[in-house]
Amino acid sequence: MKIGLIGKGAIAQHVMGAVQARGHMVHAVLVRPGSISQNPNLFVGSVPELIAEADLVIECAGHQALAAYGPQVLGQGTDMITVSVGALADQTIADEMESAASVGQAKLHLASGAIGALDCLSAAATGKLDKVIYVGRKPPLGWKGSAAEDRLDLEGLTQVETHFTGTAREAALAYPKNANVAAAVALAGIGFDETQVKLIADPSIAQNIHEVEAEGEFGQFHFRISGNSLPDNPRSSALAAMSVVAKLEQLSEPIVL
């Protein structure tokens, strides 16, 4: 497949290497205008240039990038994979994506990101789900650049502190760089406003820990994953980048799980 990529950060770099190793071609990368000169043979500054030859676009640049470029890509009939699932907590953005996809007869595919067990949760949601709780636990410095800085002394924290309790919608909107997992759990299960979220800074851990608990007609489950970050960026989840590659494989292989 010919891939158009949005972004050039740590996740985008991992995705580029992995998809090329699997025989796909990244033919264009959409970047800010000031960065085009860094690689003018690959970098482009507009959606028309990005999708001119693309079979698929992969977004790895964050909520603002999805909101800015997603409707254009989908509206022109090009399918898209995004890791910025939390952007859909903003109903205006979600509506724009759905409308553009309908106009362009395209699909927006959501990568599972840094969490697992969403297949189980999605299956359970076809019956009655009574409760879904997501708990995100990171080392204090893993919350730098987020709303946690306004609530906690992240540099000097010596004990476990909860800095957010609320719904998945509230979490995704308040923590746009940190709550994509909460959004993915919400979309797989009982929605943004029914999914409960707790975000924790824990100085005793070195990895990001994600937990999902659910109860319903299916029974109960408790899922926990301790995730490593990408070597090039301690704030980017390795599994989030890998989930993009896995989603691409689902779309390109004749037999999928």
Side-chain angles (χ1 to χ4, degrees):
M1 298 178 71
K2 290 185 177 180
I3 307 298
L5 195 62
I6 300 177
K8 62 182 182 71
I11 290 180
Q13 290 299 315
H14 176 93
V15 169
M16 181 183 295
V19 301
Q20 289 176 333
R22 286 162 172 77
H24 305 289
M25 182 180 76
V26 175
H27 85 96
V29 179
L30 181 60
V31 298
R32 293 185 176 91
S35 298
I36 295 174
S37 61
Q38 297 174 8
N39 191 345
N41 292 324
L42 182 64
F43 290 174
V44 298
S46 71
V47 168
E49 294 172 289
L50 179 71
I51 66 175
E53 300 179 31
D55 300 308
L56 179 78
V57 166
I58 299 176
E59 178 279 311
C60 300
H63 292 194
Q64 290 184 340
L66 179 62
Y69 305 121
Q72 298 178 60
V73 172
L74 296 169
Q76 293 298 313
T78 302
D79 287 357
M80 190 173 189
I81 296 174
T82 181
V83 293
S84 303
V85 181
L88 301 180
D90 184 325
Q91 194 59 52
T92 298
I93 294 175
D95 290 344
E96 288 176 353
M97 296 297 168
E98 184 172 355
S99 176
S102 178
V103 169
Q105 296 186 332
K107 289 189 177 182
L108 176 64
H109 301 277
L110 308 181
S112 57
I115 192 67
L118 297 186
D119 53 347
C120 178
L121 188 58
S122 295
T126 65
K128 185 176 183 294
L129 270 175
D130 299 317
K131 178 178 71 173
V132 179
I133 299 172
Y134 163 69
V135 179
R137 189 184 300 263
K138 297 183 180 183
L141 296 185
W143 295 108
K144 285 188 70 67
S146 78
E149 286 189 311
D150 299 327
R151 299 176 173 87
L152 302 175
D153 175 13
L154 298 176
E155 298 279 355
L157 197 66
T158 58
Q159 62 184 17
V160 177
E161 293 283 358
T162 298
H163 54 87
F164 175 86
T165 301
T167 69
R169 189 181 304 279
E170 292 167 338
L173 294 175
Y175 292 77
K177 295 182 179 180
N178 300 86
N180 283 323
V181 173
V185 170
L187 288 167
I190 54 177
F192 281 104
D193 298 313
E194 298 300 324
T195 302
Q196 296 302 304
V197 173
K198 182 183 292 187
L199 302 179
I200 298 169
D202 186 344
S204 71
I205 62 175
Q207 295 174 302
N208 295 342
I209 299 175
H210 306 284
E211 295 179 89
V212 181
E213 179 184 348
E215 293 182 7
E217 186 179 2
F218 77 100
Q220 305 87 31
F221 84 74
H222 183 191
F223 175 84
R224 173 184 169 119
I225 183 169
S226 299
N228 293 326
S229 60
L230 288 171
D232 295 337
N233 186 348
R235 297 185 190 178
S236 296
S237 162
L239 188 59
M242 293 172 182
S243 76
V244 176
V245 181
K247 179 62 69 175
L248 176 61
E249 293 291 275
Q250 284 184 341
L251 298 178
S252 59
E253 294 296 326
I255 299 175
V256 298
L257 178 62

